[in-house]
Amino acid sequence: MSKSKHNGVDPSLLIDKYGCDTVRMMMLHNVAPHTERNWSEKDYLSMRNFQIRLWKLVSQALELQNEDIPELRYEGEMEEHRATLRKAKNDHLRYINFNYNTRNTAVILAKLNVLTTAAWVVPGKVKRDAPEFQEVLGTILICLAPIAPHFCCELWAGLASLPVKNFQDFDWDRSVLEQDWPQLDPTSNLPLKLRANGKDMGTLDIAKWKFDDLTEDAAFDLACHHPSIQEEVLPQEIIKKDASFVEDFE
């Protein structure tokens, strides 16, 4: 398929059939933008299912605020679900932000899909009362908006009409395209990966607030506390040490 052979797919026909946002998601969801690919409309089904689940989540957020919902099964379950949503947001947002920088949209859409599942499976009472549910749902829409702006603007308008806004860090009076980009929580963990002589030696989880100011010497001191470094590296003469950091990633 090439322009010179005049055998390409006319995008206007696909846009008329599926809409521009959906076509863009179909194009980007399994390969990077600069990568060659075999075009197939079979990709529509997975993108349609993703969109339907997001639409239903926003609908649930609205509908559940007007319903009496059974209590959760045991004391502390609400806090467990809130912690799970916070962790899911930070774990996947880390990859989303990194891959926007590297323009790997396939990973972005995959991580947004998994984050949508994390919001989908929590009980109705969590969806109604937990600030983290609104935070996760809003984060998904903000991060998807550069790829599917029309779709996300529609859903954000619905989410912003919630009578009770449990999460207050969004600017609910502005559109999804005007929101601040989501950031990792300062208390979330980032991995410090340890290597010696080309061999993986393990990983240390470092809180983001500490990771942001981590120096090479401080990273080496932390690495020296890891059992594999103590057993296999420290007994040897260390000729060279270096550290490289990827902001908000590793």
Side-chain angles (χ1 to χ4, degrees):
M1 183 183 298
S2 69
K3 290 188 292 183
S4 62
K5 294 181 179 179
H6 303 287
N7 62 352
V9 177
D10 185 349
S12 65
L13 299 178
L14 293 170
I15 291 171
D16 290 342
K17 186 175 181 180
Y18 299 119
C20 59
D21 283 354
T22 302
V23 171
R24 195 180 298 112
M25 292 171 69
M26 291 165 63
M27 292 171 61
L28 299 176
H29 94 280
N30 59 5
V31 294
H34 57 276
T35 307
E36 292 184 2
R37 60 166 298 163
N38 293 320
W39 172 257
S40 173
E41 292 187 44
K42 293 180 180 179
D43 296 332
Y44 168 69
L45 187 59
S46 60
M47 291 299 97
R48 177 178 178 273
N49 291 339
F50 176 34
Q51 290 175 318
I52 287 174
R53 286 205 301 169
L54 269 179
W55 190 279
K56 286 184 176 180
L57 279 173
V58 173
S59 297
Q60 289 175 5
L62 290 163
E63 293 165 1
L64 290 172
Q65 289 203 346
N66 299 317
E67 295 183 9
D68 292 327
I69 302 174
E71 293 298 319
L72 296 174
R73 297 168 297 173
Y74 53 88
E75 185 177 355
E77 185 180 3
M78 173 65 81
E79 291 308 312
E80 290 179 6
H81 285 297
R82 292 181 65 183
T84 298
L85 288 172
R86 282 195 299 272
K87 186 176 187 305
K89 186 211 80 170
N90 286 302
D91 287 350
H92 298 301
L93 181 60
R94 170 175 160 252
Y95 282 94
I96 290 166
N97 287 343
F98 175 76
N99 283 283
Y100 261 121
N101 289 330
T102 60
R103 295 178 174 82
N104 192 340
T105 52
V107 174
I108 294 167
L109 287 169
K111 291 298 180 180
L112 288 172
N113 207 343
V114 177
L115 192 53
T116 300
T117 299
W120 182 267
V121 299
V122 297
K125 189 170 180 61
V126 178
K127 292 175 179 175
R128 187 189 68 182
D129 298 337
E132 288 78 5
F133 174 75
Q134 293 182 5
E135 179 185 13
V136 166
L137 191 49
T139 296
I140 294 169
L141 296 179
I142 294 170
C143 291
L144 182 59
I147 299 173
H150 305 88
F151 176 71
C152 291
C153 283
E154 286 290 330
L155 292 190
W156 184 269
L159 190 64
S161 69
L162 285 168
V164 179
K165 297 178 177 64
N166 298 314
F167 186 71
Q168 297 298 323
D169 287 355
F170 294 139
D171 189 344
W172 292 107
D173 293 328
R174 302 175 75 89
S175 77
V176 67
L177 301 176
E178 298 174 287
Q179 300 299 313
D180 291 336
W181 193 260
Q183 302 295 321
L184 299 178
D185 296 335
T187 55
S188 64
N189 288 328
L190 293 173
L192 178 65
K193 296 182 178 180
L194 312 178
R195 291 175 59 85
N197 295 325
K199 177 183 175 182
D200 290 332
M201 304 300 294
T203 302
L204 293 172
D205 289 331
I206 310 296
K208 181 184 180 303
W209 64 267
K210 185 175 182 66
F211 190 95
D212 288 343
D213 298 322
L214 203 61
T215 63
E216 180 181 291
D217 288 338
F220 181 75
D221 289 342
L222 289 171
C224 290
H225 289 80
H226 195 279
S228 64
I229 299 296
Q230 293 176 347
E231 294 171 8
E232 300 183 42
V233 178
L234 294 184
Q236 314 299 322
E237 180 183 2
I238 299 175
I239 299 175
K240 179 183 178 182
K241 61 180 181 180
D242 60 68
S244 61
F245 305 97
V246 180
E247 184 180 1
D248 285 353
F249 189 66
E250 63 183 24

